[in-house]
Amino acid sequence: MKPGEHTLTAFENFMEGIWKQNPVFVMVLGMCPTLAVTVSAINALGMGLATTFVLVFSCLLVSVIRNWVPKEVRIATYIVIIASFVTVVDYAIQALSLGLYEALGAFIQLIVVNCIILGRAEAHASKHPPLTAVVNALGMGIGFTIGLFALGGVREIFGTGTLFGISLFGPGFQPWIVMLLPPGGFFVLGGWLLLFAWWKMRKEAKDGA
Amino acid sequence: MERREEIEAPGALPSRQDGRPSRPFRLSSYIVSLFRRKSFARGVHPDTHKSTAGKPIRRLPYAPRISLPLAQHIGKPAVPLVRPGEEVVRGQPIARADGFLSVPLHSPVTGRVEAIRLHPSASGAWVESIIIRAYDSSTQEVLWREPRDMEALAPEEILAAVKECGMVGLGGAAFPSHVKLSIPPERRIHTLVVNGCECEPYLTCDHRTMIEHPADLLRGIGYAMRAVGAQRAIIGVEDNKPDAVAVLTPLLPADGRVTIEMVRTKYPQGAEKMLIKSLLGLEVPAGGLPLDIGVVVNNVGTLTLLGRLLPAGEGLTERVVTVTGPAVKRPGNFWVPLGTPIRHVLQCSGALDGEAHAELEVVLGGSMMGQAITSLDAPVTKGVTGILVYDREWISRETATKVYPCIKCGECVQACPMGLNPALLGMLAAKRDYDSMSADYHIADCFECGCCTWVCPSGIPLVQQFRVAKGLLRARAA
Amino acid sequence: MSEPLPNPGAETTATTTSWRLIAALGGVALLCGVLIVTAFQSTLDPIAKNRRIALERSIFSLIPEGVSLHIYAVSAQGTTLLRPGQAMPKEAQRVYAVYDAHRHLRGLVAEAGAVGYADVVRVLYAYDPHQQAIVGFAVGAHRETPGIGDKIRTDADFQKNFVALDARLDASGQALAHPIRTVKHGSKRNPWEIDAISGATITSRAVGRGINDSASTLLPRLHPHLNNLESPP
Amino acid sequence: MTELRSAPHERLGVSVESIMLNVVLALLPIALFSIWLYGLSALALLITSVVVCLATERVFNRLSGQSSTLSDWSAMITGILLALVLPPSFPLWMTAVAAVVAMGLGKILFGGLGMNVFNPALVGRAFVQAAFPSAIATWVPSYAPNRFHEFIPTTLTQPLMIPPDITAWVKAVSADAFTGATPLAMWKFQHQLTAPEDLILGIATASVGETSAMLILVCGLYLALRGMLDWRIPVGMMGSAVILASAFHLYNPDFFPPPVFVLLSGGLMLGAMFMATDMATSPVTPLAVWTYAILIGVVTVLIRYFGGLSEGVMYAILFGNALAPLLDRSLPTRVFGRRKPWRVGS
């Protein structure tokens, strides 16, 4: 902490990733899985939770060993730690649901290089005690999950007319195929970004008035 | 204007223009030539509004009091030779030139110097002026002249005479004529281009001058050719003035050194660079002057008055001014003594009858490049070609159009005679990216003809933005 | 970002010894190794089970009467029953023999794959040895364009091609009597032709080609030994 | 002297509204002809598209706190153009989706009038092409006998629902062998050519407003003569398409169709006259305009001959739109008294 900067409460620390620095809508990070796997709500949730799991445990471990690991090999250890937890998640998802595993496909493995996780480990966990690190990571993970869900939900509703596989409009629904294609991901993301920017603008206008 | 770059002089000129014999004006050849009329690229076709073209030049009653700004030309202001209270006669020099880039002033009236003080000028600024009260009883004849034998003069002596008469470019630029006619020794001038285009809407003073004083004009052309050493002269006239061509053609000298050439009626045909391109097919290099390619351009008004004043040894005391516009009840062309208040001219032409002044817009010059003035007390100066008065109805019609964002219709690109991209420049101006405007898109080449603004369907004041940008860039460079 | 900037004064100036670096990396690696191995061991069985269930589900969906299946490796040498855990011999094709409640062979399911519009399209197809025809196919993983290429899953007309797609062997028994071909939509004339989906010709062709390639090597090898497969071992 | 305007003191007087209004007027005959061809459904399609476009623009005006920009007629043009490039049987709810996307994504997101990079109507059309590929490839015959008192069954599909199968309906209303394929698709997939007179008169299967090449030509000519349409774009685009098509046709007359077919079929004419010429999305400098036009013509033919789709005009124009700003900057005008127009900088 810089001198003069007020110490964040645990709640603020948690909310950081959900609202102020939401990885999807504010920082626009991790676009690869964001656009590729969010064709359905369940995929989005699965991906989000997997990432959250990796994020929380990596940050916990990084924070625990932060005083013990010399700075020269910091990134190397982070990658090893993150990769290990990703492998664990990979097996866990296979064991839980093969369907989800197939849907998420290569993107589980790609969590290893997800900039959100490495970024959090480097920028936050390596400098804070375990509890703070975990709370922050949890916030970030949940923020990411919410972001993915917001995309996946919309894309599933329009793309297949369902949410979590439950049909919303009956059997005659006309799927919007573009929503399941990568361009659809961009459209929905763009829409959400627009909405976020608009909210922010209005809030600032109100605060200013 | 002083910048003269070393640019490769063009080789042989198109032989077509050389030594063409003068021929009488024939309607059939005029019609044929309509279809192969020379011109420059792009440009616009505004309504010409030349209703005053058929009216002979008349004189106005003298104003009781006149104000002569010491700086009516580009360059250093003149230095007064008279003191308040002194009596002056019409034509008497009352201020001398201050250096090379400066011209003297002559009294336009017989009367008494009231004061030398600040007086409103057309731009709104108060400038040092000689105020003279005219004698009511005077006949206002020119009483000061030193006739000279022009044939005996060497080129330098002609230049001295031009300077002595206080002549400046009467087409509006007010650049001292003797400077323009002074050719550096390393340059050779092959052609004198006589600008009789008068492409500005509303203005007809040059047109009337050509019709009424062709002999003076041809005499003036002869003096200028001798001064610059040009072997030939081409009078360029827009093809909406066939009567002027008809008057001039029979008077052209038999040796064929002076020809008259019709060019397409198109704005801004009368811009120096455009006219040279139309007549000779030559382009003045960017940032250069016509003399870089061996050409000197002079306005017909300037040369006509030189042709009249030089042999008589008189000074420039009056000029032809077109007074016109929707609010003018008795429009026409007038010989106006320099220094006459614009209010006086407008009263005489009926523009101020009954109308509240605040309802009017008074513009010096034509509708495309003229400047609106703030005070009716401002005087007519050497550079005033016309006084254009708009009434309320006209103004509100013109200002009713809404301003839209640029829709990139490209009309301005197809209008800009300089081949600039005003749409892009406008966008850069809006972003205040003046460096890019100047370095990449040549804003310096813009001569503010106003074509872009005239065509713009979005109503964007492009040329105004460019004026601001050029001003800022100049200020930054200085 | 509200992260504090690194404070240069707080950095240790002394270089860390190599030994410490190795120790740190080694320690972390050890820790992680333990973690991964634990996860691997504990999920091994459920994953295998999941896979088997998923595979069986799609196989039984092709042959609805089936209740049990056995895996055979088919090669030029003949057919071999594969016990669970037994490795697949090289150069062999995997065939699932499906049996009904009366322990009769109801059909054989094999894998095929060919390059489609976006990537390899993997399908399972069911072969009925009694009819000598292909009687169904199921799409595995694919990345064909949703709404166009993935019609192969949903298009009823396309699925009808596989009710009884002729896959008889010729007289020599060394090749298919008629290679399975995908033809332009609406121009199917023969039982060995697949009527392509209009607008998704490339994916349709991939399915046809994949099945043809697989069947034309598999079936000649399989046929002489069909008797071995007639009843479950 | 209160009035102090800066020069020039007079203007040409052609305003954005008058240009846009004239484009609307030029599109009206095409729209009316399409109603004559396809009846109630085309009318409903046009109305839906226009109303939704206007409403979208108004709503976004509200949200961004601007005053209404409907009076510039540009939203109206997008609405009409969008309807003209959709198939007549297109369900109204999908039309509404296309209109919202056209205005929202195609225009307003970029900053509104003049700021958009892509032709809004084509953005809308491209979106529904990707979203509803089967509905946009469903064609119905023109001059159906019942067209003025009955909708095409798909037109009134309930929102979000799949349009019904109209094969039976089409068989019932079409007199002769109607194939349900556009002339381009028939050439591409069945290798059959449609007679040029059918293409000129609008009898061939097509989008609502692509049918009559003749009418489009006349309406485009009107705008070009009034100076509200850059004649270089249709000339360059159609010219390059015809020249390239002729070359291919000469090379292999059996496989490649004659150039007149290329010119008259599909959306080439409509695209060249009214889409590629959209001022905001086309370049301004002369060299850039020609390059842009020729590029679109060439890409259109290449997509038609070698692409997966039978029609390429839409993507070709969108491609041209994307390049337009780049072309403007890399092919500047030659400034008077300067050389090397293509080199920015002095």
Side-chain angles (χ1 to χ4, degrees), chain B residues 59-66 90 108-109 134 139-140 318 337 340 344:
Chain B
R59 288 193 177 274
L60 289 176
Y62 272 79
R65 204 164 67 149
I66 63 155
R90 184 156 186 222
V109 291
T139 56
Q140 298 297 3
E318 60 179 2
T340 305
H344 178 80

Side-chain angles (χ1 to χ4, degrees), chain B residues 168-226:
Chain B
V168 300
L170 298 183
F175 189 76
S177 294
H178 67 276
V179 181
K180 203 165 180 180
L181 295 172
S182 304
I183 308 305
E186 72 275 13
R187 295 270 180 226
R188 227 175 42 82
I189 300 300
H190 53 76
T191 308
L192 171 74
V193 167
V194 183
N195 188 347
C197 293
E198 200 162 50
C199 59
E200 267 276 3
Y202 290 100
L203 301 186
T204 54
C205 51
D206 287 352
H207 186 177
R208 289 311 306 177
T209 307
M210 283 189 283
I211 289 175
E212 297 183 26
H213 304 284
D216 287 346
L217 171 59
L218 289 169
R219 210 177 307 130
I221 291 171
Y223 302 154
M225 284 168 77
R226 275 164 59 203

Side-chain angles (χ1 to χ4, degrees), chain B residues 49 202 283 286 358 361 367-368 370 374 390 398 404 407-408 414 418-419 442 445 453-454 457-458 464 467, chain D residues 1-2 4-12 14-17 114 232 279-280 284 329 333-338:
Chain B
H49 295 293
Y202 290 100
E283 284 192 11
E361 182 189 36
S367 62
M368 293 299 284
T374 51
Y390 290 107
E398 283 290 326
Y404 286 99
I407 58 168
K408 299 172 191 72
Q414 289 177 54
M418 290 304 286
H442 310 298
D445 290 349
T453 311
W454 185 79
S458 292
Q464 289 85 330
R467 243 175 254 144
Chain D
M1 289 307 106
T2 51
L4 268 179
R5 292 179 300 136
S6 156
H9 303 274
E10 291 175 22
R11 299 285 184 88
L12 173 60
V14 174
S15 64
V16 168
E17 299 115 274
R232 294 170 293 185
M279 289 170 172
V284 295
R329 277 169 192 258
T333 45
R334 189 188 73 87
V335 176
F336 189 94
R338 287 181 194 272

Side-chain angles (χ1 to χ4, degrees), chain B residues 49 202 273 283-286 357-358 360-363 367-370 372-374 376 390 392 394-395 398-399 404-411 413-414 417-421 424 439-442 445 450 453-454 457-459 463-464 467, chain D residues 1-17 19-20 67-69 71-72 112-116 227-228 230-232 278-286 328-329 332-339 343-346:
Chain B
H49 295 293
Y202 290 100
K273 292 180 174 181
E283 284 192 11
V284 178
H357 298 182
L360 299 177
E361 182 189 36
V362 179
V363 173
S367 62
M368 293 299 284
M369 287 182 82
I373 59 169
T374 51
L376 288 184
Y390 290 107
R392 166 57 48 195
W394 190 286
I395 296 165
E398 283 290 326
T399 50
Y404 286 99
C406 173
I407 58 168
K408 299 172 191 72
C409 61
E411 288 294 330
V413 179
Q414 289 177 54
M418 290 304 286
L420 301 170
N421 183 344
L424 192 53
D440 301 335
Y441 300 103
H442 310 298
D445 290 349
T453 311
W454 185 79
S458 292
V463 74
Q464 289 85 330
R467 243 175 254 144
Chain D
M1 289 307 106
T2 51
E3 281 301 326
L4 268 179
R5 292 179 300 136
S6 156
H9 303 274
E10 291 175 22
R11 299 285 184 88
L12 173 60
V14 174
S15 64
V16 168
E17 299 115 274
I19 294 176
M20 298 286 180
S67 58
S68 170
T69 51
S71 61
D72 63 28
L113 182 68
M115 313 296 266
N116 48 315
M228 290 165 174
D230 194 337
W231 59 272
R232 294 170 293 185
D278 175 18
M279 289 170 172
T281 58
S282 57
V284 295
T285 70
D328 260 344
R329 277 169 192 258
T333 45
R334 189 188 73 87
V335 176
F336 189 94
R338 287 181 194 272
R339 297 206 181 106
R343 260 189 58 196
V344 174
S346 45

